Amino acid sequence: MIWNETIECMDREEMRKLQSIRLRRVVEHAYHNSPFYRKKMQEMGITPDDIHSIDDIVKLPFTVKQDLRDNYPFGLMAVPMSEIVRLHASSGTTGKPIVVGYTRKDLSIWSEAVARCLTAYGLTKNDSVQVSYGYGLFTGGLGAHAGVENIGGTVIPMSSGNTQKQIQLMHDFGAKGLACTPSYALYLAETIHSSGIPLEEFKLRVGAFGAEPWTENMRKELEEKLNIKAYDIYGLTEICGPGVGGECECQNGTHLWEDHFFPEIVDPVTLQPVEPGEQGELVFTTLTKEGMPMIRYRTRDLTHLIYEKCECGRTAVRMGRILGRSDDMLIIRGVNVFPSQVESVILEMPEFEPHYLIVVDRVNNTDTFQIQVEVRQEYYSDEMNKMIALKKKIANRMQSVIGLQPDIKIVEPRSIERSMGKAKHVVDNRKLE
Ligand code: ADP
Ligand code: K
Ligand code: ZN
């Protein structure tokens, strides 16, 4: 099933025409109604008249998170506050929060985007979906909620937390879909297993997981543990929230709804567009947003785009898995390390639980690199030799994937903190210096 076949399967040339019309419109809107964008464009010596087609997007200035912070709270709004019907905010990891305002139309486009995702996962009005993303200023809860209502499904607005009750109601209400972060899904799976309620008694079939990077190995883990299909949903507050894109039944890339959110990949250093299909930083331009249009917004997310038509029939461009945010990349003894690489090694080894914590520090001017893991009960042994061999095995595997030997610390079962939202996988004590 396809929610909006005309758009999702549109001929690519047609799509470019639509994008061109919409780009001109949003640039005019931003130029005339947002002093911030007008100043930026004037600095570059361009006006809306310089934008003829979507190819001219490269003439436009980039926007970065710092711009939102510098103009906090409402400096980037392009409509009077009387038109803004909702605010969301994201705290990020450092500094002031960033705030985004939505008009009524912005909200309806957002819920359309989520509806396309949910439909691609096979959910319909006959299904109930438990929304276990946090409700509030975070976009996850209310974003998923509106999408479920839009397709006419039955929304169970749980929010995150209260994990025992989550399990009980998921069981009693027969939710077919679960929307939450992959780390919370893992925690829910663990809780189901220890609850003693047989998995067969749950109606769960579909996971809509996102808001943080996750690996293919994590997908396998979640699909096995919950007996579901686990699909990616991607988004960020600055663009709207979850639903900027979602996977289809092919599970072979995340379709981006490019009639509303135009994606580019640029080299994060030179800011030049990369060759089609190459990896780089994802940049979005909102083509229809009224409240707070985003022009060439640098997401910091590293991925690549796939333009070939998908086997599902959709022509909408697909995005590969997000390796991580450039901000999340650790440089340890000169080697670039992404938490997702560590995750993928731990999850391919049956000896370990799918939880981990990376601890980095600096001792005597040298970076230390520790990975804390939990050994699965069946593999745990009192014999020191066995545990040493196990540590060696995972350390060697890490060395071959990352190019760096970590110090492996085996910790007590369940001692690594479980997350109900976005998991925290890294403690970098070097930053405290
Ligand atoms: P914050 O910046 O506070 O985390 P957001 O909720 O807006 O606020 O986070 C958006 C970011 O979350 C994205 O830029 C991306 O890094 C990450 N993200 C969201 N969905 C996914 C996904 N499906 N896969 C990987 N990363 C994701
Ligand atoms: K208002
Ligand atoms: Zn597809």
Side-chain angles (χ1 to χ4, degrees):
M1 260 275 287
I2 297 179
W3 180 256
N4 187 336
E5 197 166 342
T6 318
I7 292 289
E8 294 173 58
C9 304
M10 189 175 261
D11 172 76
R12 293 213 59 86
E13 262 319 297
E14 287 295 305
M15 177 56 71
R16 291 189 75 76
K17 280 186 202 153
L18 180 67
Q19 289 167 333
S20 297
I21 294 167
R22 289 182 170 179
L23 179 66
R24 287 201 299 270
R25 221 182 275 157
V26 78
V27 169
E28 292 243 357
H29 172 54
Y31 189 84
H32 293 295
N33 300 307
S34 159
F36 166 80
Y37 282 117
R38 182 160 58 248
K39 183 157 165 273
K40 272 207 165 192
M41 286 187 235
Q42 280 168 344
E43 278 167 8
M44 293 187 80
I46 58 166
T47 70
D49 290 338
D50 295 310
I51 305 302
H52 306 286
S53 82
I54 192 73
D55 296 324
D56 294 321
I57 198 161
V58 295
K59 296 179 184 167
L60 293 164
F62 288 99
T63 310
V64 294
K65 200 169 214 138
Q66 192 58 39
D67 291 323
L68 281 92
R69 295 217 169 101
D70 293 344
N71 293 280
Y72 176 86
F74 302 142
L76 261 68
M77 303 287 179
V79 298
M81 286 307 279
S82 55
E83 298 300 309
I84 297 291
V85 299
R86 170 100 64 86
L87 295 175
H88 277 287
S90 110
S91 52
T93 39
T94 47
K96 269 192 253 176
I98 55 120
V99 185
V100 177
Y102 304 71
T103 65
R104 215 174 278 286
K105 186 175 158 216
D106 294 338
L107 288 182
S108 92
I109 286 170
W110 182 16
S111 88
E112 150 93 18
V114 181
R116 290 184 197 171
C117 299
L118 299 174
T119 307
Y121 311 151
L123 294 167
T124 70
K125 66 175 182 181
N126 300 318
D127 302 316
S128 55
V129 179
Q130 184 155 325
V131 178
S132 306
Y133 284 112
Y135 279 62
L137 287 172
F138 171 54
T139 51
L142 286 160
H145 183 105
V148 179
E149 284 192 347
N150 195 357
I151 66 167
T154 308
V155 61
I156 307 169
M158 284 298 298
S159 194
S160 58
N162 217 339
T163 306
Q164 291 295 340
K165 192 167 178 190
Q166 298 261 359
I167 303 301
Q168 193 63 49
L169 297 192
M170 185 189 289
H171 172 269
D172 298 351
F173 297 173
K176 178 168 168 187
L178 169 66
C180 63
T181 60
S183 21
Y184 196 33
L186 198 57
Y187 184 19
L188 288 167
E190 269 187 355
T191 313
I192 290 180
H193 286 261
S194 52
S195 76
I197 311 176
L199 197 55
E200 304 79 62
E201 287 187 17
F202 289 82
K203 297 249 157 55
L204 203 63
R205 293 291 170 271
V206 170
F209 302 143
E212 61 181 359
W214 54 309
T215 55
E216 276 306 309
N217 287 340
M218 179 67 94
R219 189 210 302 275
K220 277 190 224 126
E221 179 87 21
L222 290 169
E223 292 193 334
E224 277 168 25
K225 279 203 163 142
L226 287 167
N227 188 27
I228 58 170
K229 283 276 184 193
Y231 296 101
D232 186 49
I233 183 161
Y234 170 83
L236 63 163
T237 312
E238 295 87 325
I239 303 306
C240 65
V244 169
E247 272 181 325
C248 64
E249 71 268 21
C250 304
Q251 294 182 313
N252 191 17
T254 300
H255 287 283
L256 297 175
W257 310 128
E258 52 176 325
D259 53 320
H260 295 300
F261 320 112
F262 182 80
E264 297 172 83
I265 302 282
V266 302
D267 179 312
V269 178
T270 66
L271 300 184
Q272 293 304 308
V274 301
E275 292 298 317
E278 260 182 53
Q279 176 110 353
E281 179 177 341
L282 182 61
V283 171
F284 280 107
T285 298
T286 60
L287 296 177
T288 49
K289 215 172 177 202
E290 296 176 333
M292 211 168 123
M294 282 289 129
I295 292 180
R296 300 194 88 197
Y297 184 72
R298 292 182 57 189
T299 63
R300 306 271 165 183
D301 291 328
L302 302 173
T303 184
H304 65 280
L305 295 178
I306 307 154
Y307 288 96
E308 288 85 47
K309 183 177 173 175
C310 182
E311 290 192 6
C312 69
R314 290 177 184 81
T315 52
V317 65
R318 278 169 292 158
M319 166 182 94
R321 273 222 183 262
I322 298 210
L323 181 59
R325 287 193 220 198
S326 52
D327 326 21
D328 293 343
M329 189 182 79
L330 292 159
I331 303 178
I332 306 172
R333 284 174 237 147
V335 178
N336 298 350
V337 179
F338 280 98
S340 59
Q341 296 174 301
V342 171
E343 175 175 307
S344 102
V345 170
I346 290 169
L347 273 93
E348 76 187 18
M349 299 184 64
E351 296 92 335
F352 298 97
E353 292 288 349
H355 302 277
Y356 63 97
L357 186 69
I358 302 169
V359 183
V360 189
D361 207 339
R362 186 167 285 136
V363 177
N364 298 331
N365 291 316
T366 307
D367 294 332
T368 60
F369 174 30
Q370 184 189 69
I371 302 176
Q372 300 184 1
V373 283
E374 295 174 11
V375 175
R376 276 196 216 272
Q377 204 62 51
E378 314 89 272
Y379 292 92
Y380 189 78
S381 165
D382 287 339
E383 288 171 53
M384 190 104 116
N385 281 347
K386 284 198 177 151
M387 288 296 102
I388 290 173
L390 195 52
K391 278 190 188 185
K392 213 169 190 167
K393 186 174 170 194
I394 186 171
N396 288 343
R397 183 75 191 123
M398 290 288 175
Q399 162 85 50
S400 72
V401 171
I402 307 171
L404 200 63
Q405 275 271 352
D407 162 35
I408 300 292
K409 183 177 179 193
I410 294 177
V411 297
E412 292 283 301
R414 291 189 169 250
S415 65
I416 293 169
E417 197 185 333
R418 305 307 193 235
S419 166
M420 300 195 253
K422 296 177 190 245
K424 186 168 162 46
H425 290 302
V426 178
V427 175
D428 190 345
N429 292 317
R430 297 174 302 182
K431 287 180 182 149
L432 301 175
E433 282 177 12

